[in-house]
Amino acid sequence: MRSDTIVIIPTYNEKENIEAIIRATFDQEKAFDVLVVDDNSPDGTASIVEELQKEFVDRLYIENRKEKNGLGTAYIHGFKWSLNKGYDYIIEMDADFSHNPKDLIRLYNACAIEGGDVSVGSRYSVGVNVVNWPMNRVLLSYFASKYVRFITGIPVHDTTAGFVCWKRNVLETIQLDKVKFVGYAFQIEMKYKAWKHKFKIKEVSVIFTDRTRGESKMSGGIVYEALFGVIKMRLNGLPK
């Protein structure tokens, strides 16, 4: 029987992690389906997923995109696919175990039981819960979220978090085709739009552990987009 919840995992060169993260997701007490959105990884990530589909029939899905077009467009592709398939809850999760699959049920419960429309796996709602990051990156991420709160007024401590559960009606309300940002600012923009539409956002404190295998996708351009994109977003408001 199909789950009411799907976990979207965007991938680009994640062969070291992808099988383990899929198995860990399926090992949870609640049944979750998984959609991998792969951006034509040259390392064969998609082939690993396709082989696993034989084992996890009607639970594991893959969408192969022709090129690497950014995290935001990968998630929007996955959101539209998931909405079309009728899922009630749609969760974003990284492939590299920086997000702990054991926290999936906590994000789900925050929406399905505790009344949230959006739940955010938050590194900063209770102290600073980051493992294996150099101090300069911790400070950049922490103060970026403070900066976003100051500029926008959004009452979320971890605005750049990428571990998020969405109720389907939130994604149906946000105009996905008008989401402008593709990097980490995508995460800020989505939360901002949900808040502006008066959806209830709940933060769930999680421990973020930096990847131990594979390469980070963080770049200077991504940080620039987040810092300066927030001001544009605040001035422009929601799309008409």
Side-chain angles (χ1 to χ4, degrees):
M1 188 171 120
R2 170 180 278 175
S3 173
D4 63 347
T5 308
I6 191 156
V7 180
I8 302 174
I9 304 176
T11 55
Y12 183 76
N13 286 351
E14 291 288 358
K15 69 177 182 181
E16 295 98 337
N17 297 302
I18 192 60
E19 180 171 354
I21 196 74
I22 288 170
R23 291 190 181 281
T25 301
F26 288 143
D27 279 345
Q28 302 311 306
E29 288 184 13
K30 173 179 166 50
F32 296 100
D33 290 350
V34 173
L35 169 65
V36 174
V37 181
D38 186 70
D39 279 1
N40 199 22
S41 299
D43 71 346
T45 298
S47 297
I48 296 170
V49 177
E50 287 160 2
E51 189 63 28
L52 286 170
Q53 283 184 298
K54 299 172 186 176
E55 181 178 347
F56 300 108
V57 178
D58 295 330
R59 295 190 66 194
L60 175 60
Y61 305 92
I62 184 167
E63 286 285 284
N64 292 295
R65 303 204 308 163
K66 292 182 179 178
E67 55 191 21
K68 193 169 184 284
N69 283 322
L71 182 71
T73 63
Y75 270 127
I76 287 172
H77 184 106
F79 290 157
K80 290 179 176 179
W81 186 96
S82 302
L83 290 171
N84 187 52
K85 298 295 183 182
Y87 288 96
D88 294 321
Y89 302 93
I90 299 166
I91 301 179
E92 304 175 32
M93 187 172 75
D94 289 348
D96 59 10
F97 283 94
S98 55
H99 304 144
N100 188 338
K102 291 180 180 179
D103 289 323
L104 285 167
I105 188 66
R106 299 173 62 222
L107 290 184
Y108 170 80
N109 286 342
C111 287
I113 297 172
E114 298 164 20
D117 298 306
V118 181
S119 61
V120 177
S122 178
R123 298 162 289 187
Y124 308 128
S125 60
V126 181
V128 177
N129 294 307
V130 178
V131 178
N132 290 346
W133 263 9
M135 184 54 67
N136 64 335
R137 191 166 171 191
V138 173
L139 291 172
L140 175 64
S141 173
Y142 178 77
F143 284 107
S145 280
K146 289 279 191 186
Y147 164 81
V148 172
R149 286 192 72 178
F150 175 74
I151 295 293
T152 66
I154 185 173
V156 174
H157 292 90
D158 194 352
T159 51
T160 61
F163 197 18
V164 186
C165 179
W166 305 89
K167 278 187 176 177
R168 68 172 293 118
N169 66 316
V170 181
L171 296 179
E172 287 171 337
T173 301
I174 292 172
Q175 297 181 55
L176 295 175
D177 287 332
K178 293 190 177 181
V179 173
K180 293 182 172 60
F181 299 117
V182 297
Y184 281 75
F186 163 81
Q187 302 291 3
I188 300 167
E189 183 178 2
M190 289 290 294
K191 296 178 189 71
Y192 178 71
K193 288 182 173 179
W195 174 63
K196 291 294 281 185
H197 280 293
K198 304 196 183 312
F199 288 112
K200 185 175 181 181
I201 302 175
K202 294 180 70 72
E203 288 191 86
V204 176
S205 182
V206 300
I207 295 173
F208 177 97
T209 304
D210 196 25
R211 68 166 62 237
T212 58
R213 292 185 289 183
E215 294 184 4
S216 172
K217 312 302 190 292
M218 178 67 82
S219 71
I222 286 170
V223 174
Y224 181 91
E225 180 196 58
L227 291 177
F228 292 97
V230 168
I231 296 175
K232 286 184 183 177
M233 188 179 69
R234 173 68 177 83
L235 293 174
N236 293 340
L238 294 175
K240 299 295 188 249

